[in-house]
């Protein structure tokens, strides 16, 4: 119980430090903005370690962070293979294919009134389909390797990306479009010079949503069939073996990959849409 009490004291100290940083004179500095979430995360990890050890929680229920870190280091080669199989081959390839296809189809729908009016209800319907229902079908169609996981990701990211792109292309006002026509601009000139730049916040919103969906889709699809590697495969087999430290190590890999993927898209968005009011300080 001493470790538990110490964990509560640590939480109070971390809370006080973060409150001082968040509301003090240095709250607007870059260092303070980075320090606050870092201190909060480290405090949670330290409390996790102390409470698990203080209450003697069995490792098959909740392993300590130190045990997870030891497994992460010992199984680094296996974790890297799983990362390549799930993220690079499955999630990333499906993300690229699905988003590019959705973007091309959105341009086509923008030119065709019939497609524009009909695609959004279909897109909402498809987006509502549960992945646990579509993933087994696609795995049977495309096999048990990464191709079927990429297919699941394509299905998951296509319609969110499509809906956002179509909405973005329709975001310009009639006055802006009329002004382009007075300059003698045709459809494609208006598309490139006016409508696509105006649609970029919507497009990047679809891309950011798709980063999360891509990783989730690839992992879940591996539960329904996979070669002897992959994050989803490793989680399902490790749970059956009661190796919860390996399960948490895979969760860390997925969390890091998802965070970096989302961060890369968000950083690219900030560079492309620097003119948008959300990026002004």
């Amino acid at each position: 119980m001493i470790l538990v009490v110490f964990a509560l004291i640590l939480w109070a100290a971390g809370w006080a430090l973060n409150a001082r940083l968040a509301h003090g004179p240095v709250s607007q500095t870059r260092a303070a903005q980075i320090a606050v979430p870092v201190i909060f995360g480290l405090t949670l990890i330290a409390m996790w370690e102390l409470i698990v050890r203080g209450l003697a929680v069995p490792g098959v229920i909740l392993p300590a962070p130190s045990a997870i870190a030891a497994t992460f280091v010992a199984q680094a080669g296996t974790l890297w293979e799983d990362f390549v199989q799930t993220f690079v081959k499955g999630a990333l390839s499906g993300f690229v294919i699905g988003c590019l296809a959705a973007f091309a189809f959105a341009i086509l729908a923008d030119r065709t009134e019939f497609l524009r009016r009909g695609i959004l209800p279909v897109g909402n319907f498809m987006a509502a389909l549960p992945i646990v229902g579509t993933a087994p079908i696609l795995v049977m169609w495309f096999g048990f390797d990464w191709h079927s996981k990429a297919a699941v990701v394509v299905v998951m990211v296509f319609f969110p990306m499509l809906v956002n792109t179509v909405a973005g292309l329709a975001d310009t006002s009639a006055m802006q479009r009329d002004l382009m026509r007075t300059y003698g601009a045709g459809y494609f000139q208006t598309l490139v010079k006016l409508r696509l730049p105006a649609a970029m916040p919507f497009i990047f919103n679809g891309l950011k949503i798709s980063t999360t969906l891509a990783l989730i889709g690839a992992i879940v699809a591996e539960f329904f069939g996979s070669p002897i590697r992959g994050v989803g495969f490793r989680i399902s087999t490790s749970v059956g073996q009661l190796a919860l430290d390996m399960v948490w190590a895979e969760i860390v890999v997925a969390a890091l990959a998802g965070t970096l993927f989302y961060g890369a898209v968000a950083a690219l968005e900030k560079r492309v849409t620097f003119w948008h009011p959300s990026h002004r300080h």
Side-chain angles (χ1 to χ4, degrees):
M1 290 298 295
I2 296 178
L3 292 178
V4 176
V5 173
F6 187 69
L8 295 176
I9 295 174
L10 182 64
W11 171 259
W15 184 282
L17 179 59
N18 262 356
R20 185 166 184 174
L21 288 174
H23 302 291
V26 297
S27 60
Q28 299 303 317
T29 63
R30 183 64 175 170
Q33 293 173 353
I34 295 175
V36 169
V38 169
I39 293 172
F40 181 77
L42 292 176
T43 302
L44 285 180
I45 293 174
M47 287 184 61
W48 179 356
E49 180 79 23
L50 293 171
I51 291 173
V52 166
R53 293 190 178 276
L55 299 179
V57 178
V60 296
I61 296 178
L62 182 63
S66 57
I68 298 171
T71 301
F72 194 96
V73 173
Q75 301 292 334
T78 300
L79 294 172
W80 174 254
E81 290 182 359
D82 293 342
F83 167 79
V84 172
Q85 176 71 20
T86 301
F87 181 76
V88 178
K89 294 183 178 180
L92 191 58
S93 61
F95 174 85
V96 172
I97 295 170
C99 289
L100 287 177
F103 181 81
F105 201 89
I107 299 297
L108 180 62
D110 183 67
R111 292 284 287 169
T112 309
E113 182 71 16
F114 172 75
L115 287 178
R116 187 166 63 252
R117 289 181 177 274
I119 197 63
L120 294 182
V122 174
N124 292 329
F125 172 77
M126 293 296 295
L129 291 178
I131 183 177
V132 293
T134 57
I137 297 173
L138 293 173
V139 169
M140 295 304 297
W141 285 357
F142 293 96
F144 292 98
D145 207 348
W146 64 268
H147 308 84
S148 58
K149 287 63 183 179
V152 172
V153 172
V154 168
V155 172
M156 290 192 68
V157 307
F158 181 85
F159 289 101
M161 183 65 186
L162 175 65
V163 170
N164 276 277
T165 305
V166 170
L169 291 174
D171 190 52
T172 53
S173 66
M175 182 179 295
Q176 292 172 318
R177 295 191 295 271
D178 289 341
L179 181 61
M180 292 297 292
R181 280 194 289 269
T182 62
Y183 292 152
Y187 171 80
F188 287 103
Q189 286 179 308
T190 303
L191 179 68
V192 173
K193 299 292 186 179
L194 171 66
R195 303 180 68 202
L196 277 179
M200 280 300 161
F202 291 85
I203 293 172
F204 274 101
N205 186 52
L207 289 173
K208 289 188 292 186
I209 293 172
S210 298
T211 58
T212 304
L213 293 176
L215 195 57
I216 293 173
I219 292 174
V220 172
E222 289 179 346
F223 281 87
F224 298 97
S226 175
I228 55 172
R229 65 180 65 87
V231 174
F233 166 80
R234 199 75 56 193
I235 289 175
S236 62
T237 55
S238 297
V239 167
Q241 298 168 354
L242 299 180
L244 269 296
D245 52 347
M246 189 63 177
V247 173
W248 278 98
E250 293 285 357
I251 291 173
V252 170
V253 170
L256 290 175
T259 301
L260 293 175
F261 193 17
Y262 183 93
V265 174
L268 180 61
E269 176 190 22
K270 193 170 184 179
R271 292 183 66 88
V272 174
T273 62
F274 59 91
W275 48 268
H276 196 263
S278 61
H279 299 310
R280 296 174 186 169
H281 299 286

